[in-house]
Amino acid sequence: MKVLGVNALFHDPAAALVIDGTVVAAAEEERFSRRKHGHRPVPFAAWELPEQAARWCLEHAGLDVGDLDAVTYSFDPALAEPAEGLGLFDPWDHLRRTYAREAPGFLATALPGLDPAQVRFVPHHVAHAGSAALAAPCADADVLVLDGRGECGSSLAGTYAGGELTVHAAQRLPHSLGLHYEDLTDHLGFLRSSDEFKVMALASYGSPRFLDEIRPLVRPDGHGGFVTERVDWQSLAKRLAPGEEWGQDHADLAATVQVRLEEVLLELARWLRERSGGSRLTLAGGVALNCVANTRLHAESGYDEVWVQPAAGDAGTALGGALHVAAGAGDRIEPMPGADLGRGWDDEEIGARLRTAQVPHERVDDPARLAAETAACLAADGVVAWFQGRSEFGPRALGHRSLLANPAHAVNLERLNDVKGREQFRPVAPMVLAERAAEIFSRGPLPSPYMLFVHDVAPAWRDRIPAVVHVDGTARVQTVDREQEPLMARVLEEFDRRTGLPVVVNTSLNTAGRPMVDDPRDALECFGSAPVSMLVIGSFLVRRPGW
Ligand SMILES: [Fe+2]
């Protein structure tokens, strides 16, 4: 069957298309609208439908709205309860519930020809669960979903077997590990529901000296759920205004909340494993983007394998909702082929854009030479904007819309954070040839194609690739498989030949506050406004004078 999945309620509006159990396309609306996360994560901003992403999914597959068998919406208003009854303060909640109930009508307006009766509501955490266990490379797995909130809960622990989900536990609101982490994000002057990864990065600068205070307030309940009580953050570290300088107290508080999150997640995973007897764990929900916690789950939960949906945030529910309904209808679900599920452009289209923009460029049809020119630029300490293939679904650049740089110079971290207008405490990540990864990186799982785990950098390598080593000696690695990413593998090989380093710096191709680059025009705008030495786009090289 043909199912269009839609996420449109809390964060990260997105659409995905599943045809006969195969993921054909998935994209976030922000890549089209150029508004990060689709909208500001203000208390009520549910009106943004992923119209452009949905239309593109259909166009990509050559389908009309009338060809669809179902459209899924990853929130079930029939399960929702008023916020007051859930112990949440959320004066806009009634609007959200009304909006969700009316979603079939809104969708029919955005996608003319859609019969509103075709819209199927999928419970929010079931949609997350589908994005993990059904999209994973292995069939049949346990699944743990943790996020801020769904209809009236904040977690799901279950097992998918034969395409069918058994739910073992679900935590009811107001208890929420996601909202707890978001509260701290807000207290530290960062943007709630958006900047949680900054708290994780900050945690590396602190020690968890408030554990005695936090442990009694955030604790597992022994039945697959947990308790999160209100924390008086101000008594532990002073509230920060946006952009205000953080101090040691703030880093220590971040470290405490991070460690406690890891401890509770481990308990939840062990409970699930005991309950199900499973050997494979899959994860989704915004909390599953916490790669430090994921590494501990991989190392200590007792599961043989841990797989995390790369679009673990709400965007992934578009995909998971569609997969869940397809599986329920009896379709055999294929694992997702990779995270490159968004828009792609052929050389003819890219060439036309370059000519329209009257940008001097060179066409290089030989991939070996394209890789060699890129590696030479990086070896000479240039920064390369890299635009190849289809764009990534999820928040990480995985070598399709990336900024690449030389990891040998510590100053390149600062340089890239400047290009992107990011805080200087935030790390950038290494990309490494899969077959060389184990020489340099340990502890986290290898291969690690989606940058969802942290690894320890071998002491002998720390001084050789300082730009990608975080303050605690770790790195969030992406391994590059030669078969799946032949051109990037060639760049890494050529760079290694020139420098003795099989590693390059990889960070997302965007400038401050903007979504990742998606189409060639975005790439040219980014290249035009940022100190980038070379743009490698399809088979074309665009050089800054002097490079
Ligand atoms: Fe969610």
Side-chain angles (χ1 to χ4, degrees):
M1 72 189 299
K2 300 179 183 68
V3 191
L4 179 73
V6 166
N7 171 57
L9 199 63
F10 292 111
H11 322 284
D12 303 321
L17 184 64
V18 173
I19 300 181
D20 299 332
T22 297
V23 183
V24 171
E28 288 181 55
E29 187 70 4
E30 64 163 29
R31 309 292 161 85
F32 297 81
S33 70
R34 311 308 299 154
R35 280 161 62 83
K36 201 158 179 152
H37 300 300
H39 53 66
R40 287 274 295 177
V42 289
F44 183 75
W47 55 82
E48 186 143 353
L49 282 171
E51 316 174 38
Q52 297 181 72
R55 280 201 291 268
W56 170 75
C57 282
L58 294 175
E59 200 186 294
H60 174 77
L63 296 182
D64 289 323
V65 172
D67 297 325
L68 292 170
D69 297 299
V71 174
T72 64
Y73 186 81
S74 46
F75 185 92
D76 186 348
L79 302 175
E81 297 175 29
E84 310 83 75
L86 295 166
L88 296 178
F89 173 72
D90 188 347
W92 303 105
D93 182 68
H94 66 287
L95 284 178
R96 183 184 291 117
R97 280 179 287 124
T98 303
Y99 177 88
R101 273 195 300 274
E102 301 299 334
F106 293 147
L107 284 165
T109 312
L111 298 170
L114 176 72
D115 175 358
Q118 279 182 301
V119 177
R120 305 262 298 266
F121 293 116
V122 178
H124 187 72
H125 292 125
V126 170
H128 270 307
S131 80
L134 294 175
C138 50
D140 297 353
D142 289 346
V143 58
L144 201 48
V145 173
L146 290 134
D147 66 359
R149 63 164 299 185
E151 291 84 357
C152 55
S154 72
S155 81
L156 178 153
T159 304
Y160 261 104
E164 234 175 87
L165 174 67
T166 304
V167 177
H168 304 302
Q171 179 56 54
R172 192 174 159 81
L173 291 164
H175 305 286
S176 167
L177 290 167
L179 293 179
H180 166 72
Y181 212 90
E182 281 184 22
D183 282 348
L184 175 62
T185 305
D186 180 60
H187 186 75
L188 295 177
F190 303 128
L191 193 58
R192 174 192 278 279
S193 295
S194 169
D195 290 351
E196 281 64 33
F197 53 93
K198 296 184 187 176
V199 177
M200 188 183 75
L202 188 57
S204 311
Y205 290 82
S207 69
R209 71 181 164 92
F210 300 116
L211 275 173
D212 287 347
E213 286 87 347
I214 295 293
R215 275 195 182 121
L217 301 175
V218 180
R219 55 187 195 273
D221 68 3
H223 306 287
F226 46 84
V227 172
T228 55
E229 289 180 27
R230 196 168 285 279
V231 179
D232 179 6
W233 302 109
Q234 189 69 15
S235 70
L236 302 171
K238 167 180 109 37
R239 186 178 182 82
L240 292 176
E244 195 181 343
E245 196 80 9
W246 52 269
Q248 196 55 49
D249 280 352
H250 303 104
D252 290 348
L253 185 55
T256 305
V257 168
Q258 173 65 32
V259 167
R260 189 56 182 151
L261 174 73
E262 294 162 18
E263 290 174 350
V264 175
L265 291 181
L266 276 171
E267 288 280 321
L268 297 177
R270 287 174 185 146
W271 179 90
L272 176 58
R273 188 173 148 268
E274 237 164 67
R275 174 83 178 230
S276 73
S279 61
R280 291 187 291 260
L281 176 64
T282 60
L283 298 167
V287 177
L289 291 172
N290 192 305
C291 46
V292 177
N294 293 346
T295 290
R296 282 199 70 182
L297 285 169
H298 164 75
E300 301 172 45
S301 66
Y303 280 99
D304 297 338
E305 289 169 42
V306 176
W307 188 84
V308 186
Q309 162 58 239
D314 276 358
T317 64
L319 177 61
L323 288 172
H324 181 79
V325 164
D331 282 0
R332 213 173 69 88
I333 306 296
E334 292 294 328
M336 64 189 269
D340 53 335
L341 299 167
R343 283 189 289 180
W345 311 82
D346 62 29
D347 281 338
E348 212 165 296
E349 292 168 311
I350 294 170
R353 296 290 183 108
L354 290 168
R355 285 191 295 279
T356 302
Q358 299 185 358
V359 174
H361 57 272
E362 178 191 354
R363 184 171 175 143
V364 179
D365 280 321
D366 174 14
R369 203 190 129 216
L370 198 67
E373 295 277 1
T374 304
C377 178
L378 293 169
D381 212 19
V383 172
V384 173
W386 180 258
F387 184 110
Q388 298 292 335
R390 295 176 67 177
S391 61
E392 297 90 344
F393 183 49
R396 305 277 166 262
L398 300 164
H400 288 237
R401 303 288 184 274
S402 287
L403 269 176
L404 309 176
N406 189 323
H409 310 293
V411 71
N412 280 344
L413 169 61
E414 217 171 292
R415 207 166 144 205
L416 289 173
N417 278 339
D418 279 346
V419 170
K420 294 159 59 96
R422 307 193 329 169
E423 296 86 351
Q424 288 302 345
F425 65 86
R426 292 187 38 206
V428 289
M431 198 181 239
V432 61
L433 272 173
E435 64 264 32
R436 302 288 304 279
E439 285 169 47
I440 310 170
F441 305 104
S442 61
R443 197 164 59 100
L446 291 173
S448 183
Y450 298 127
M451 282 171 76
L452 289 160
F453 298 88
V454 293
H455 297 73
D456 288 336
V457 182
W461 280 87
R462 288 183 192 170
D463 292 340
R464 299 184 66 188
I465 50 171
V468 294
V469 184
H470 197 30
V471 61
D472 56 2
T474 64
R476 193 176 59 194
V477 175
Q478 183 200 343
T479 54
V480 174
D481 181 274
R482 208 175 278 279
E483 302 254 297
Q484 279 201 315
E485 301 287 348
L487 187 59
M488 184 51 78
R490 259 190 157 139
V491 170
L492 285 161
E493 234 167 28
E494 285 287 333
F495 185 73
D496 185 26
R497 210 166 57 75
R498 287 169 165 78
T499 62
L501 306 171
V503 177
V504 299
V505 178
N506 166 37
T507 184
S508 53
L509 181 54
N510 61 314
T511 46
R514 300 277 180 90
M516 258 200 272
V517 158
D518 204 77
D519 77 11
R521 196 180 74 176
D522 306 333
L524 286 169
E525 285 176 0
C526 183
F527 179 70
S529 64
V532 173
S533 320
M534 186 192 269
L535 167 65
V536 187
I537 179 164
S539 298
F540 300 90
L541 290 180
V542 183
R543 295 174 197 268
R544 188 75 76 204
W547 285 93

